[in-house]
Amino acid sequence: MALVVQKYGGTSVGSIDRIRNVARRCLESQRKGNDVVVIVSAMSGETNRLLGLAHQVTALPDAREMDAIAATGEQVSAALTALAIQELGGKARSLLGHQVKILTDGAFTKARIKTIEGSRIFSTLKDGEIAVVAGFQGANERGDITTLGRGGSDTSAVAVAAAIGADACEIYTDVDGVYTTDPNICPSAKKIARISFEEMLELASLGAKVLQIRSVEIAMKYNVPIHVRSSFSEIEGTWVTGEDKALEQVVVAGVAYDKNEARVSIIGMSDKPTAVADLFGSIAEKNISVDMIIQNVSRGAEDRTDITFTVPKTDLAHAKPEIEAIAKGNLGAKEVRYDDDVVKVSIVGLGMRSHAGIAAKMFRLLASEGIAIQAISTSEIKVSCLVPAKYTELAVRALHDGFGLGDK
Ligand code: ADP
Ligand code: ASP
Ligand code: MG
């Protein structure tokens, strides 16, 4: 007998029929003798609809209220799933984040889990019931509802699996595994049988939304193997696990893209030693993370510098007043420019550590499609380029096929 956590994403619970399908799968697993904990997302499109309602009321909604609204999506699908299991003759109970005692910090809309108290899940299982936990949500120390960021139900699932010591964590989604790139935009994408936590972490942080980045961080920290697979078939998916020798051979394992980037360029700001620290310090205070950064000497003025960086598109509206204030105030900048019509395309692979020329090949492949690069960032196992958004598919396909991922 095993303790299994199964997470079903938005598409998998996207209609009443699909919720019935989920209920059948949970019961099947229970009949095999397993204790089953299910984590569900909101029905597909529901979170966007809810956030859209808030934006109809105000352009810059208060984050605490956003979470109170967004969390309802998962409340509905958890209760519907519990009902569907009961309707098939099974026993099930829905549990909300605060009932499971998923305690988070207070960063509304992007909260991080601090602790999970498993006792309510265990008592539910002890009664022979399937525990259906609402994904994406938790509560802070004051009891206010928080959410874990878009795609956060993956993180709920892995964190619950780690907290209760589950034997398996299965992530059921609308594709049958992790692919060499998004199969929905690149027809030659191939399913990967096994991928390391480290590579998956990079792919997720670079936009491969099949797993939320925090879920992979937690899986890596607590060594929870994840099985990503389809809720519409029985076929084996992708195992995300610790590194092994065979995995090390791959130079480029995957290509990712992220449209949630916005470029900010500050022109002609002061180059005093504290300038950069002041600028990024004030952005960090707003809990906004900066990604790619380029700095160069401003044309025609020796004591002036230009700096370009990217922030998440979804944070740009919040960051703008801060950036304007410091750039034009303290730093005496001439101008601040914004462009949110950009995409970051990235290649990821453990083998890059020991192979030279990978970045150069990436730039050549983009150049041969006539795609101009606006910013670059690298780490040991990835290279990212910022390019105009209209080239998303072209760039992804050129890199994917250029690095031989399509013809394995
Ligand atoms: P869910 O609602 O089940 O959480 P998501 O939409 O969040 O599903 O994630 C699944 C989607 O991730 C796929 O439909 C696919 O378009 C996208 N995706 C991006 N990169 C990859 C990749 N490398 N492998 C598989 N899917 C990917
Ligand atoms: N419903 C949330 C979202 O759309 C969480 C999730 O699906 O994982 O982001
Ligand atoms: Mg998701």
Side-chain angles (χ1 to χ4, degrees):
M1 181 157 138
L3 175 56
V4 301
V5 170
Q6 302 187 332
K7 178 259 173 177
Y8 292 90
T11 319
S12 306
V13 294
S15 67
I16 299 301
D17 268 350
R18 288 184 173 178
I19 289 178
R20 287 201 184 100
N21 172 53
V22 167
R24 265 192 300 275
R25 280 179 170 266
C26 300
L27 280 168
E28 212 170 286
S29 181
Q30 195 191 38
R31 278 192 204 110
K32 285 184 189 151
N34 297 324
D35 276 332
V36 183
V37 179
V38 191
I39 316 285
V40 287
S41 289
M43 296 171 81
S44 56
E46 181 62 6
T47 308
N48 285 343
R49 188 186 73 84
L50 292 165
L51 298 177
L53 289 175
H55 279 111
Q56 280 180 42
V57 178
T58 163
L60 271 183
D62 177 80
R64 180 187 181 280
E65 305 313 327
M66 287 289 262
D67 278 359
I69 295 167
T72 62
E74 274 70 13
Q75 174 165 347
V76 170
S77 49
L80 287 174
T81 304
L83 286 179
I85 294 170
Q86 292 170 4
E87 186 63 16
L88 290 174
K91 288 166 72 178
R93 273 290 160 241
S94 68
L95 296 170
L96 301 178
H98 69 89
Q99 293 171 314
V100 178
K101 297 206 172 68
I102 299 180
L103 179 70
T104 71
D105 63 16
F108 295 110
T109 76
K110 44 183 147 183
R112 291 167 80 96
I113 297 175
K114 288 177 154 179
T115 55
I116 297 180
E117 211 249 84
S119 62
R120 186 73 190 267
I121 292 179
F122 285 121
S123 64
T124 304
L125 295 174
K126 208 158 159 239
D127 292 338
E129 294 168 340
I130 292 174
V132 187
V133 178
F136 185 48
Q137 53 173 267
N140 67 11
E141 250 144 26
R142 299 179 60 185
D144 294 336
I145 293 169
T146 54
T147 68
L148 308 178
R150 298 308 305 267
S153 298
D154 297 329
T155 300
S156 309
V158 178
V160 164
I164 65 175
D167 299 293
C169 182
E170 299 181 318
I171 303 282
Y172 286 92
T173 182
D174 58 357
V175 284
D176 56 12
V178 178
Y179 278 67
T180 46
T181 192
D182 186 347
N184 287 323
I185 75 157
C186 183
S188 59
K190 297 273 183 301
K191 188 164 82 184
I192 303 171
R194 204 172 148 202
I195 187 167
S196 68
F197 286 133
E198 241 179 317
E199 284 166 315
M200 193 63 234
L201 199 62
E202 287 284 6
L203 283 175
S205 73
L206 297 170
K209 66 171 185 163
V210 61
L211 286 176
Q212 197 203 32
I213 175 168
R214 280 288 294 148
S215 71
V216 189
E217 280 171 8
I218 296 172
M220 190 160 149
K221 183 164 174 197
Y222 296 98
N223 201 17
V224 181
I226 303 175
H227 189 186
V228 180
R229 54 194 309 195
S230 166
S231 60
F232 305 112
S233 78
E234 294 300 327
I235 49 176
E236 184 88 354
T238 299
W239 283 94
V240 187
T241 63
E243 226 176 278
D244 73 16
K245 283 253 154 52
L247 291 171
E248 187 95 34
Q249 313 291 322
V250 185
V251 179
V252 176
V255 178
Y257 64 95
D258 191 352
K259 289 187 170 166
N260 186 29
E261 294 267 337
R263 183 165 57 98
V264 181
S265 298
I266 301 180
I267 314 294
M269 70 178 220
S270 150
D271 74 346
K272 63 183 176 194
T274 52
V276 176
D278 291 346
L279 172 65
F280 291 116
S282 71
I283 299 173
E285 262 168 35
K286 291 223 129 189
N287 201 12
I288 290 167
S289 45
V290 168
D291 182 20
M292 309 169 105
I293 302 174
I294 304 177
Q295 187 179 14
N296 42 268
V297 177
S298 214
R299 230 173 298 161
E302 290 225 324
D303 59 343
R304 299 273 120 188
T305 178
D306 294 346
I307 197 157
T308 291
F309 57 93
T310 61
V311 294
K313 204 183 276 184
T314 39
D315 284 336
L316 185 61
H318 278 286
K320 254 185 189 173
E322 203 70 22
I323 296 170
E324 293 281 331
I326 182 149
K328 295 202 172 141
N330 243 350
L331 304 179
K334 266 208 323 239
E335 192 190 346
V336 187
R337 293 183 199 145
Y338 304 94
D339 182 3
D340 65 2
D341 210 14
V342 291
V343 63
K344 182 175 67 175
V345 287
S346 309
I347 53 172
V348 172
L350 286 179
M352 268 182 226
R353 286 177 189 152
S354 49
H355 284 76
I358 305 301
K361 181 169 176 183
M362 179 179 192
F363 306 150
R364 176 69 52 213
L365 286 166
L366 293 174
S368 64
E369 298 292 341
I371 302 173
I373 300 168
Q374 300 176 340
I376 297 164
S377 67
T378 63
S379 81
E380 224 190 354
I381 65 163
K382 72 119 202 262
V383 187
S384 299
C385 295
L386 197 72
V387 303
K390 64 179 178 193
Y391 294 127
T392 307
E393 297 193 4
L394 185 62
V396 168
R397 289 178 193 177
L399 295 174
H400 184 262
D401 295 347
F403 280 103
L405 295 174
D407 47 37
K408 269 197 280 196

